[in-house]
Amino acid sequence: MSTHTETQHADFARCLPCNQVDTLAAFHWLKLAWNDLRAAPLVSLIYGLVFSLIPATILYMTINSGTHLVILPAIVAFALAGPVFAVGLYDVAWQLEKGQRPTLLHSLRSMFRNPVGEWGFAIVLTLVMIAWMRLATLLHALYPTLGQPSLLDMAPFLAFGSLVGMVLMVAVFALSAFTPQICLERKVDLMTAIVSSVHAVRTNFPAMQVWAATILALVTLGFATSALGFILIMPLLSFASWHAYIAVIKTRTQRHYE
């Protein structure tokens, strides 16, 4: 009995081994992602269209609220929601990897493949998002009370708000870079997936910096196109994230999904 218990504890929150990848590997992942998009255009664009409604709603709220103060919290909230919505597209890429024809129904079912891990991670991101929104409310206390504040008056608010948002987004990136993919394929416990994701990001820090900057650039482009760009950007980033997972997280047998 004690031996079995020790085995269970040993399996909980373990760290999966990872590979080290080239600093510019992100561009290779995007190239492979484009091939996936071409191989499964219909399912990919359906997900992209549905997902684009989220940033479109953010833009609508920003424009109609009459204030720019909601922009930063909204963008961070969008970044938190992204990994959860990407799970279905990870399954599409996984089906392509196995030589199968991807279907929308199969990808939707994947969200319940490891319900404890996948939905547990969704809850973690939700809690982080709630915490961020509370922080954003507190940060607004630093906003100048002047009628027409100058850039100098707004400097403390902008600097501190940007710093807090950046720290939170870096933390979320480390948590979510590989956690959803691991939970989808491995059926491991949530803590194992999170610990493995953070370890992989730390081990491949230069490559992950480039990957994070690429994500930020594409997300910015998506907003610049009034959210229409997300119809393509969301599938591309999701498929590229699957290829990043294949390249970084080790398996017993080598995978060749090119």
Side-chain angles (χ1 to χ4, degrees):
M1 182 68 177
S2 60
T3 303
H4 178 66
T5 303
E6 289 174 3
T7 302
Q8 284 185 320
H9 285 301
D11 289 340
F12 181 76
R14 67 189 189 278
C15 184
L16 302 176
C18 66
N19 299 308
Q20 282 193 298
V21 296
D22 184 75
T23 302
L24 301 179
F27 301 108
H28 180 59
W29 301 335
L30 284 173
K31 178 183 176 182
L32 298 176
W34 177 250
N35 294 336
D36 289 343
L37 181 58
R38 293 174 59 192
L42 182 59
V43 178
S44 303
L45 294 179
I46 289 174
Y47 271 103
L49 180 61
V50 173
F51 185 81
S52 67
L53 296 177
I54 300 174
T57 302
I58 291 174
L59 288 173
Y60 176 81
M61 291 174 59
T62 302
I63 293 172
N64 286 273
S65 65
T67 175
H68 56 276
L69 296 180
V70 301
I71 296 176
L72 184 60
I75 290 176
V76 174
F78 169 77
L80 294 176
V84 176
F85 276 84
V87 171
L89 286 164
Y90 294 154
D91 182 74
V92 172
W94 193 16
Q95 291 178 67
L96 289 171
E97 180 185 357
K98 293 184 288 188
Q100 300 173 355
R101 181 181 178 184
T103 65
L104 181 61
L105 181 59
H106 191 286
S107 66
L108 291 174
R109 286 175 176 171
S110 70
M111 297 180 185
F112 301 92
R113 176 177 170 80
N114 181 3
V116 175
E118 293 173 13
W119 291 100
F121 183 61
I123 292 172
V124 169
L125 288 184
T126 300
L127 293 175
V128 173
M129 183 172 67
I130 293 172
W132 163 242
M133 298 307 290
R134 297 300 298 174
L135 280 172
T137 302
L138 294 174
L139 287 172
H140 286 172
L142 297 175
Y143 190 77
T145 56
L146 302 174
Q148 294 292 332
S150 66
L151 184 60
L152 184 61
D153 294 327
M154 293 178 61
F157 167 76
L158 294 174
F160 191 61
S162 299
L163 178 62
V164 172
M166 185 176 298
V167 169
L168 185 63
M169 291 186 72
V170 168
V172 170
F173 176 76
L175 291 174
S176 61
F178 304 107
T179 297
Q181 301 94 308
I182 292 172
C183 286
L184 174 64
E185 185 183 36
R186 308 281 181 111
K187 289 189 176 182
V188 298
D189 63 89
L190 179 58
M191 287 308 300
T192 292
I194 289 176
V195 169
S196 301
S197 179
V198 173
H199 171 69
V201 170
R202 186 175 56 197
T203 303
N204 292 278
F205 193 67
M208 292 298 102
Q209 283 182 302
V210 175
W211 179 221
T214 302
I215 293 173
L216 181 61
L218 288 175
V219 168
T220 302
L221 177 62
F223 277 105
T225 58
S226 300
L228 290 176
F230 285 108
I231 297 175
L232 284 176
I233 290 171
M234 178 59 184
L236 274 177
L237 287 178
S238 299
F239 292 151
S241 295
W242 183 258
H243 286 284
Y245 162 69
I246 291 174
V248 172
I249 304 299
K250 284 186 177 181
T251 54
R252 288 191 179 92
T253 57
Q254 192 172 0
R255 304 169 78 163
H256 300 281
Y257 181 39
E258 298 287 320

